[in-house]
Amino acid sequence: MKKILQIASALVFSFSVTQSKAQLDDGSIASNFTFVDMAGNTQDLYAMLDSGKTVFIDISAAWCAPCWDYHTDGHLEGLYNTYGPAGTNEVRVLFIEGELTNTDAQLTGTNAGNTYAGSSQGNWVAGTPYPIVNLSTATTGASAFMTDFNIGYFPTIYMVCPDRSVTLVGPVSTAALYAAKSACGVATAAVDGEMITALQYNKNLASCDSVTPTFRLANIGTTPLTSATITLSVDGTSQKTINWTGSLATYESTTVTGVKVGSLTPGTHAISAVISSPNGIADPTVANNSTTASFLIYPPVGGAFISETFESAGIPNDWAIVAGGNTTWEEDLTVGYSSTASAKLPFYNIGSGQVDYLVLAPMSFAGGSVATLSFKVAYAQYSSSNTDRLQVEVSTNCGTSWVSKFNKSGATLKTVPPVGNAEYVPAGPADWRQESVNLNTYAGQTNVLVRFKGTSDYGNDLFIDDVNFSSFGVGIEENELNNNVLVYPNPIANNATVAFNLAETNTVSISMVNALGQAVMTENLGKMNAGDQTYSFSTSSLNNGLYFMNIKVGNNTIIKKVTISK
């Protein structure tokens, strides 16, 4: 474990969940575990939950100073003493040592140096009334626990409700911990139904014209739940009704796949699910019977060109971010390849295993025989062992299935050496590398979705800039080394040359379009022969700035971004 959540003991009461990234999304289902604590007692998570107890878990490390500060401030101790077995008997508290190389000696205060595997902040056992579990590489289920609970930093403080739903409560006061418990359903004498985290696993949905929601239905009544009515609404208008039947014991839950909701207009929508009539009677507790999530319907299929520098408005509104957690793709308005804007995936603050998508607006490659994506990337590993991954995936069926066309990670993805315990920021153009992806397989398709997929290894930040797509016919021969067209020099002072290869004789024209979409220069080159071609032109009459060079060959056009800087 390398990074820790930086907190200070003097600020205990100002802690908030917003200081940290969710390890698991709130509402996720906790996997069961059975461990033996340092006193020799078995701790079974589901057994505690089935008895109706809310379980608070502190995953920390013996060497972790912020963890020690929170531990010695006594907030979990206060929670356990007041609301645990010796108090009102509502909660259970566990301390779990999450550094798998740590020893019992470290937990009892033996400091054997400055390494993770030897150092200790003090005696964690003395005075701690609740169980302490020391996981190690030899503990059965230890690695699975760290993976299932997506531990990316210490301390991580989770609350697990009896229905097995997880909430990241963070290192907060006793009062705040107990207040968080109010979100957990309490079994009532009558049959009850509870909606939990609608669309949890496909939140931030993106689709061409429809969505199929999934959500969890839980029973917090004391008798089995065998039927319920679930109503799906979009933007406040009822769309579908699901008559659910099954059998859920107290605190049991199930995943329900809703019916398809379609024929929606492009843009962002809110979908909600509401449960009623559990077992055919009025629900005694209605406050927890609904849940809502948002989703995006893609705009209509656009043209065959994208040239995005993130300068004008950051990440375009018609692109979709499908987030794997609370921290995901974002616009960075401080750094870019040749300016001060880019798309950023902050792996530095994203726990291992999280997957995040940046989905571009749908495009039509109809009539084309050549299709190419190019982009610039900047990335530094945290250390040489980190393998954050970037992929480019393509779908031609509105996101039902995806094919990977680009896949780099770790040392093959990095553009600069590892930077260690500092969040990476590109220092300049030398930090960036041009990537080109051959998409000829999809030339001729009428609805093509392309997305960037980032998979975190809890490494360091990744940046993307100058995303360019082009699809065109046989007029220009594909050349991946120069992205089909080479303009040099770029940036341009007063004169430039464009080089390309024609597959057959055709008419060619070149125009320069400014950032407002105005054609400010046009050169008609007439009919040109097949083969390598070059054309030199003057830009002395143009002002400094960003331009798009449109090279038209017959009825096909390719766009090249250029900068004029005199």
Side-chain angles (χ1 to χ4, degrees):
M1 187 65 58
K2 51 182 178 152
K3 296 172 235 174
I4 53 178
L5 182 63
Q6 296 299 322
I7 54 179
S9 59
L11 300 176
V12 167
F13 290 101
S14 66
F15 292 165
S16 68
V17 173
T18 57
Q19 284 183 286
S20 60
K21 168 195 65 62
Q23 305 288 71
L24 289 176
D25 282 341
D26 288 351
S28 298
I29 298 301
S31 298
N32 193 29
F33 58 78
T34 302
F35 297 132
V36 177
D37 63 31
M38 294 181 69
N41 300 314
T42 298
Q43 303 297 332
D44 185 303
L45 177 62
Y46 278 14
M48 290 183 276
L49 299 176
D50 288 343
S51 68
K53 305 301 186 288
T54 299
V55 181
F56 291 82
I57 308 172
D58 174 7
I59 303 100
S60 291
W63 50 261
C64 170
C67 305
W68 177 252
D69 288 342
Y70 184 65
H71 179 77
T72 55
D73 280 331
H75 299 299
L76 285 169
E77 181 180 347
L79 180 74
Y80 185 79
N81 288 336
T82 304
Y83 304 106
T88 59
N89 199 26
E90 301 171 61
V91 307
R92 295 292 183 265
V93 178
L94 290 178
F95 176 98
I96 295 183
E97 167 60 68
E99 187 64 74
L100 302 188
T101 59
N102 282 0
T103 64
D104 286 357
Q106 287 172 265
L107 286 169
T108 55
T110 300
N111 193 324
N114 295 320
T115 66
Y116 294 151
S119 62
S120 175
Q121 292 292 325
N123 191 333
W124 299 77
V125 177
T128 301
Y130 46 85
I132 294 179
V133 174
N134 184 18
L135 296 184
S136 74
T137 54
T139 304
T140 301
S143 295
F145 169 82
M146 297 297 287
T147 300
D148 291 345
F149 283 82
N150 201 20
I151 305 304
Y153 56 70
F154 298 140
T156 294
I157 315 296
Y158 281 130
M159 177 183 72
V160 186
C161 293
D163 59 31
R164 292 153 172 70
S165 60
V166 178
T167 301
L168 182 78
V169 291
V172 296
S173 67
T174 295
L177 291 168
Y178 186 70
K181 179 188 172 296
S182 63
C184 294
V186 178
T188 58
V191 171
D192 194 10
E194 178 185 20
M195 296 297 288
I196 307 172
T197 57
L199 308 168
Q200 177 189 339
Y201 297 110
N202 52 356
K203 67 179 183 178
N204 298 314
L205 282 167
S207 174
C208 290
D209 62 358
S210 62
V211 295
T212 302
T214 60
F215 45 87
R216 288 200 306 116
L217 169 67
N219 177 21
I220 57 171
T222 55
T223 56
L225 178 65
T226 59
S227 66
T229 299
I230 302 168
T231 302
L232 299 180
S233 299
V234 174
D235 301 331
T237 300
S238 177
Q239 298 283 327
K240 304 285 184 178
T241 298
I242 302 170
N243 294 313
W244 176 87
T245 59
S247 181
L248 296 177
T250 301
Y251 293 129
E252 267 195 326
S253 65
T254 186
T255 298
V256 178
T257 300
V259 293
K260 183 177 180 180
V261 179
S263 302
L264 301 170
T265 59
T268 301
H269 299 272
I271 187 167
S272 62
V274 179
I275 185 175
S276 60
S277 302
N279 288 3
I281 63 174
D283 195 330
T285 309
V286 297
N288 54 14
N289 281 16
S290 66
T291 184
T292 302
S294 63
F295 64 94
L296 173 71
I297 295 296
Y298 289 124
V301 175
F305 310 105
I306 289 179
S307 185
E308 182 56 56
T309 63
F310 307 103
E311 295 300 318
S312 58
I315 295 174
N317 291 332
D318 56 357
W319 293 21
I321 294 174
V322 183
N326 290 355
T327 302
T328 186
W329 287 96
E330 62 187 40
E331 59 182 313
D332 189 299
L333 299 179
T334 62
V335 63
Y337 169 67
S338 58
S339 55
T340 57
S342 60
K344 172 183 175 182
L345 186 55
F347 287 133
Y348 188 85
N349 296 307
I350 296 176
S352 297
Q354 180 173 311
V355 179
D356 297 87
Y357 300 97
L358 180 61
V359 191
L360 281 63
M363 294 171 290
S364 173
F365 291 172
S369 61
V370 175
T372 301
L373 160 69
S374 67
F375 61 94
K376 290 184 171 65
V377 60
Y379 166 70
Q381 293 171 280
Y382 180 90
S383 70
S384 59
S385 63
N386 288 111
T387 57
D388 300 314
R389 184 176 300 274
L390 177 67
Q391 294 172 264
V392 174
E393 298 183 323
V394 181
S395 174
T396 57
N397 53 15
C398 289
T400 300
S401 61
W402 297 83
V403 176
S404 178
K405 304 297 291 185
F406 171 93
N407 188 349
K408 289 187 177 182
S409 65
T412 61
L413 179 61
K414 72 177 183 181
T415 60
V416 296
V419 298
N421 194 20
E423 195 161 3
Y424 169 62
V425 178
D431 278 21
W432 297 77
R433 181 179 65 240
Q434 177 87 14
E435 298 284 4
S436 182
V437 184
N438 185 331
L439 299 179
N440 288 351
T441 303
Y442 305 98
Q445 298 281 346
T446 58
N447 191 338
V448 181
L449 285 173
V450 178
R451 69 184 183 186
F452 292 100
K453 175 183 179 181
T455 304
S456 177
D457 191 35
Y458 194 41
N460 223 314
D461 295 350
L462 176 139
F463 299 79
I464 289 176
D465 203 358
D466 293 4
V467 178
N468 291 279
F469 272 100
S470 57
S471 175
F472 43 88
V474 297
I476 296 181
E477 191 80 16
E478 181 193 18
N479 183 340
E480 286 192 24
L481 294 178
N482 59 25
N483 296 315
N484 313 300
V485 173
L486 177 65
V487 180
Y488 57 91
N490 188 12
I492 304 169
N494 292 299
N495 297 282
T497 298
V498 56
F500 49 90
N501 184 286
L502 292 179
E504 60 184 24
T505 299
N506 218 326
T507 56
V508 180
S509 66
I510 296 176
S511 62
M512 296 285 282
V513 178
N514 63 20
L516 299 177
Q518 302 166 326
V520 294
M521 186 183 79
T522 300
E523 300 280 346
N524 293 309
L525 309 187
K527 186 168 289 188
M528 304 184 76
N529 295 326
D532 292 330
Q533 300 288 348
T534 61
Y535 179 75
S536 298
F537 58 97
S538 172
T539 60
S540 58
S541 63
L542 301 181
N543 296 324
N544 289 347
L546 176 68
Y547 293 82
F548 299 95
M549 177 184 291
N550 296 345
I551 303 98
K552 184 175 182 182
V553 179
N555 294 322
N556 302 296
T557 303
I558 184 171
I559 300 174
K560 190 75 175 179
K561 188 185 75 172
V562 298
T563 301
I564 296 178
S565 179
K566 302 176 184 179

